[in-house]
Amino acid sequence: MFLKKYLKFGFIFLLSIVIIGSSHKPLQAKKKSANKKSILTKEPHSAHKATIYSLALPGLGQAYNKKYWKIPIIYAGFGVMTYFI
């Protein structure tokens, strides 16, 4: 019973962080010059898609956003939470 309470709290806390973090609009690529067509045609990352990926497997949304350095922080947080429970 005690363990279920903390797991439920941790899940709700992590879910709320994911939802709050995905509410920001993606940054648009700035137009620097007409010669750089790769910047202009590059589609911005979808926050919704990153959220869905992150719900499927924690850290996958960060991999989608190409911020790989954040993935070990996520799993270290899970390890610390598990240790204290």
Side-chain angles (χ1 to χ4, degrees), residues 7-8 22 53 56 59 75 78:
L7 286 176
K8 186 176 181 180
S22 68
Y53 285 160
Y75 284 103
F78 284 139

Side-chain angles (χ1 to χ4, degrees), residues 4-38:
K4 284 184 181 181
K5 180 180 173 182
Y6 279 109
L7 286 176
K8 186 176 181 180
F9 173 75
F11 178 73
I12 291 172
F13 179 72
L14 290 174
L15 185 62
S16 65
I17 288 176
V18 168
I19 290 171
I20 290 170
S22 68
S23 65
H24 298 293
K25 293 182 180 178
L27 298 173
Q28 299 293 328
K30 294 181 180 180
K31 295 180 182 179
K32 292 191 177 186
S33 68
N35 294 338
K36 296 184 178 182
K37 290 184 179 180
S38 64

